[in-house]
Amino acid sequence: ADTVSATASWPDMASLFSDFEKNGSLSGEKATASPAPQTTVDAALATAFDLQPGEERTVAFVLSWHFPGGDFGRANKPQWFFEKGGSYYENWWANAAEVDDYVSENFDALDSATRLYHRTLYSSNIPRYVLDRISSNLCVLKSPTCFWTRDGYFGMWESTSNKPEWHGNVKHVLHYAQGHARLYPELGRILRDIDLRSMTPQGLLPDRDDGGDRIALDGHFGTILGVYREHLLSENNDYLRGAWPRTRKAIDSAIERYDPDRDGMLSGAYHNTLDCNSSGTSPWIGSLYVATLKAGGKMAALMGEEELAASYQQLAQTATRNQNEKLWDEEQGIYVERPEHLRRTRIMGDAVGIDMFLGQWWANQLDLGPIYPEDRTRAGLAKIHAVNRITDPGDGSYPPKYRDFLGTGDTGWQMFVHPGEVPENSIHYYCEVMSGFEYAAAATMIQSGMTAEGLEIVKEISKRYDGRHRGKDEVTTKHNATVTGTGSPFGEDECGKFYARPLSSWSVLLALQGFSYDGPRQRIGFEPVWRTEDHASFFSAAKGWGLFTQTRSDGIQESVIDLRFGSLAVETLVLGVPEGTGTADIRARLNGKELPIKFRQLSDRRVKITFTHGVEMEASSQLALTMALSAPSNDEGE
């Protein structure tokens, strides 16, 4: 029989093992307390059992904790913390013993679900270094960067290295984050609701939840796009219905303040995520504006406001036309900024900017279509890949003006590269390399047919976070730097450890699998660009996740949605097919049982399958599609 013994504290290893050697058990104190602030005590557990020859046993230890009324690493709580304080888990468990009981009683389910998630994710055959970067950045959610208060406030600091003035839920950083919302849609909705509650009376969204009214326009637009994402990751329109009044006000207020003549070109000064003020129209903020208008049109239509939807879509078209005409630099082959040169503002000018197509990155994830002409987008992305790449040779020739996130031999893609002399009022951090921005650029490249270039960026990031410590002898830390050395595979650096922006890495998965999803319409799509003949990738939806596989051989394409956890409702499925081919016949089966469908060719690369009676999938079910490929056809088949 198993026997368990414990001691709440022990003075040194010698005495601990001396105690244990007496009879294979531990004696000593059964309860203790820290003798002084910032001083810990060491406890020990031991279990004894009998083994027969060839027999194996696994012993599980549960370590539980419960810290009531915690301050989440910050003693000077800002006003946006709710009254009660403490962690959300205090609503479920009164003490650590209750936590321990819960884990013990549910251990098998918790353990099997965790292992199933890991096994499913790593059943993807996309490059291992991509999977590592996607999954490792999720550690941010388990780090002190994130917290959930007893009153329901879900908060995210920028990192674990917060200064007193860095208030939480900073919109211009967090709108890059994708992993939290894709894997835990409820958290995404909670975060967006908190963002909308911070709205000023004028309808603008402050850059931080600090009670102020400073507007970072990229964060403002990104939050609105996040509302549409959260809707798509819901089961129905209920979330959007509640969020829409403030979301509409946010869109209208931005138009009124920054585009009063409704020509799609922004004016006036505004803050941005590079900790400075800029003005005028750049492809960075400008493309975000176009994507926001497109998403606004979609949301207005869903809320039955057809006239408003049409006005947003018309303004989006105007913005696309004017920005494409006025920002495109034919000589450089990129989109450039047209600043207003207002006082105390900084410019990117005609620099090659890594966020040149940030609005397109968002649009691709939300199935909003192209922002600028696709040929120009690819040309600009190619310029970013070629021009912004930098390797630190370690000889002092790469001296960044601000902070240095590259160790000797590391390669990255810096924020902005000016074609000539750097202007005195250049945008902040123009010469820095930060992975959260790089992932967005990489995903956009993959979505634009530049898979090799996008994957190269991710691979170089993975080399930087390979576990090799880059101490102060290898990394030059500049003024206001909070990083003492990069290299940890978990939690990528920016302004501190476990920085939130690299959660953008999830978008690389979406790009490689060509994923699209609209939960309320029960529509899901896969158009892989990675290993199209033999593809496997993890996917997540509103209430479930699983593995998607696709194979092609001898004119037959097999596509399988293998739901491993939760549930998934599917009425419409969009699949990619080889360019220049059509679908002569499609057969659908749910767990081997044939389903009635209709199908239609949407383009020479896409086919739409509609399930006559809809499909309700539960965990461990498989939806399989077998397609006979042929010449293109627009005929509808049954």
Side-chain angles (χ1 to χ4, degrees), residues 19-159:
D19 181 31
F20 181 70
E21 286 174 351
K22 293 176 183 177
N23 57 11
S25 64
L26 298 171
S27 59
E29 298 180 60
K30 303 306 179 187
T32 190
S34 174
Q38 300 185 11
T39 302
T40 62
V41 293
D42 297 308
L45 284 171
T47 184
F49 51 85
D50 296 326
L51 277 181
Q52 297 300 317
E55 186 181 4
E56 293 183 1
R57 287 285 300 273
T58 298
V59 178
F61 290 87
V62 176
L63 176 64
S64 305
W65 64 90
H66 189 280
F67 300 106
D71 60 12
F72 310 104
R74 184 165 186 160
N76 60 329
K77 296 180 184 179
Q79 65 186 50
W80 46 264
F81 272 78
F82 288 173
E83 292 296 324
K84 296 178 185 176
S87 297
Y88 197 73
Y89 61 69
E90 292 181 57
N91 295 312
W92 301 329
W93 304 294
N95 50 53
E98 289 189 6
V99 177
D100 187 78
D101 290 340
Y102 174 83
V103 173
S104 298
E105 292 168 7
N106 297 275
F107 182 83
D108 289 343
L110 295 169
D111 180 65
S112 61
T114 301
R115 293 178 185 276
L116 178 63
Y117 160 72
H118 181 273
R119 186 166 61 250
T120 304
L121 178 65
Y122 279 89
S123 293
S124 307
N125 64 9
I126 65 178
R128 175 63 182 255
Y129 60 84
V130 178
L131 294 175
D132 286 347
R133 297 324 319 140
I134 291 168
S135 59
S136 294
N137 280 312
L138 293 172
C139 289
V140 168
L141 302 178
K142 288 292 292 178
S143 77
T145 295
C146 294
F147 59 91
W148 200 354
T149 73
R150 186 177 174 186
D151 289 306
Y153 186 103
F154 179 61
M156 296 178 75
W157 305 114
E158 285 188 52
S159 71

Side-chain angles (χ1 to χ4, degrees), residues 132-133 136-137 139-140 143 160 405 410 435 439 460-471 475 483-494 496-499 502:
D132 286 347
R133 297 324 319 140
S136 294
N137 280 312
C139 289
V140 168
S143 77
T160 59
F405 299 102
D410 286 341
S435 63
Y439 286 125
E460 291 298 335
I461 296 173
S462 74
K463 291 179 181 178
R464 299 207 303 267
Y465 296 98
D466 60 0
R468 178 170 57 91
H469 179 66
R470 290 134 171 97
V475 177
V483 179
T484 58
T486 61
S488 170
F490 304 101
E492 297 174 15
D493 303 324
E494 190 175 319
K497 300 292 187 181
F498 293 99
Y499 201 81

Side-chain angles (χ1 to χ4, degrees), residues 609-620:
I609 299 104
T610 303
F611 296 91
T612 306
H613 305 300
V615 177
E616 298 289 338
M617 299 183 67
E618 299 296 333
S620 302

Side-chain angles (χ1 to χ4, degrees), residues 143-252:
S143 77
T145 295
C146 294
F147 59 91
W148 200 354
T149 73
R150 186 177 174 186
D151 289 306
Y153 186 103
F154 179 61
M156 296 178 75
W157 305 114
E158 285 188 52
S159 71
T160 59
S161 306
N162 277 279
K163 295 181 179 180
E165 65 270 21
W166 294 352
H167 291 278
N169 287 356
V170 50
K171 299 173 183 64
H172 54 72
V173 170
L174 296 184
H175 88 90
Y176 286 81
Q178 302 293 329
H180 70 292
R182 291 288 175 176
L183 200 54
Y184 301 103
E186 183 183 1
L187 288 184
R189 292 191 289 271
I190 292 172
L191 192 56
R192 289 291 80 71
D193 286 342
I194 291 169
D195 284 344
L196 292 174
R197 287 207 300 269
S198 72
M199 178 180 287
T200 69
Q202 295 76 30
L204 295 173
L205 299 171
D207 63 338
R208 299 174 185 269
D209 286 355
D210 59 358
D213 59 1
R214 184 176 68 177
I215 309 303
L217 198 51
D218 48 347
H220 183 90
F221 291 147
T223 298
I224 296 167
L225 289 163
V227 171
Y228 187 48
R229 177 191 62 199
E230 272 49 285
H231 161 72
L232 295 177
L233 291 170
S234 302
E235 293 182 88
N236 50 48
N237 291 341
D238 290 350
Y239 165 75
L240 181 59
R241 195 171 290 113
W244 176 241
R246 292 194 180 198
T247 303
R248 172 183 173 169
K249 186 174 182 179
I251 299 171
D252 292 342

Side-chain angles (χ1 to χ4, degrees), residues 244-266:
W244 176 241
R246 292 194 180 198
T247 303
R248 172 183 173 169
K249 186 174 182 179
I251 299 171
D252 292 342
S253 297
I255 296 171
E256 180 180 350
R257 178 166 175 175
Y258 298 106
D259 187 18
D261 57 3
R262 301 178 72 89
D263 67 348
M265 301 294 288
L266 302 168

Side-chain angles (χ1 to χ4, degrees), residues 332-580:
Q332 285 203 83
I334 60 171
Y335 288 97
V336 300
E337 180 192 40
R338 300 299 181 210
E340 293 181 288
H341 297 286
L342 300 178
R343 291 183 60 192
R344 293 187 296 277
T345 59
R346 291 180 170 268
I347 65 169
M348 57 202 78
D350 56 358
V352 181
I354 197 167
D355 268 347
M356 191 187 306
F357 302 104
L358 193 62
Q360 188 62 66
W361 175 69
W362 261 112
N364 289 337
Q365 295 178 80
L366 304 181
D367 205 17
L368 296 174
I371 303 294
Y372 302 139
E374 293 181 3
D375 58 338
R376 289 186 171 182
T377 297
R378 282 192 294 271
L381 289 167
K383 203 68 175 285
I384 293 170
H385 181 264
V387 172
N388 293 56
R389 176 178 177 140
I390 183 73
T391 298
D392 187 352
D395 60 4
S397 61
Y398 171 63
K401 182 178 180 181
Y402 301 95
R403 299 161 300 189
D404 187 350
F405 299 102
L406 297 183
T408 300
D410 286 341
T411 294
W413 278 257
Q414 65 186 55
M415 300 297 300
F416 295 93
V417 176
H418 293 272
E421 187 175 344
V422 178
E424 290 185 3
N425 62 335
S426 175
I427 204 83
H428 261 167
Y429 314 139
Y430 70 89
C431 53
E432 289 191 2
V433 171
M434 294 175 279
S435 63
F437 299 91
E438 291 174 293
Y439 286 125
T444 311
M445 290 175 190
I446 293 169
Q447 292 158 337
S448 300
M450 301 168 60
T451 303
E453 292 86 344
L455 287 178
E456 182 187 6
I457 292 177
V458 181
K459 191 168 188 177
E460 291 298 335
I461 296 173
S462 74
K463 291 179 181 178
R464 299 207 303 267
Y465 296 98
D466 60 0
R468 178 170 57 91
H469 179 66
R470 290 134 171 97
K472 289 186 177 181
D473 56 329
E474 294 186 65
V475 177
T476 303
T477 52
K478 301 297 180 180
H479 72 285
N480 86 335
T482 59
V483 179
T484 58
T486 61
S488 170
F490 304 101
E492 297 174 15
D493 303 324
E494 190 175 319
C495 206
K497 300 292 187 181
F498 293 99
Y499 201 81
R501 199 187 319 259
L503 282 164
S504 60
S505 60
W506 195 274
S507 65
V508 179
L509 170 64
L510 305 181
L512 289 168
Q513 67 187 177
F515 184 73
S516 60
Y517 182 69
D518 187 332
R521 292 174 59 197
Q522 299 184 4
R523 179 188 183 277
I524 193 168
F526 298 91
E527 301 171 63
V529 299
W530 169 259
R531 290 184 57 171
T532 56
E533 307 296 314
D534 180 21
H535 175 91
S537 60
F538 177 93
F539 75 91
S540 59
K543 294 192 70 176
W545 46 259
L547 188 72
F548 171 77
T549 58
Q550 172 181 291
T551 58
R552 290 173 182 165
S553 179
D554 299 327
I556 300 295
Q557 177 171 309
E558 291 275 358
S559 303
V560 179
I561 297 176
D562 182 357
L563 191 70
R564 302 285 180 86
F565 185 89
S567 61
L568 176 66
V570 183
E571 183 177 312
T572 305
L573 173 61
V574 175
L575 294 172
V577 295
E579 187 171 5

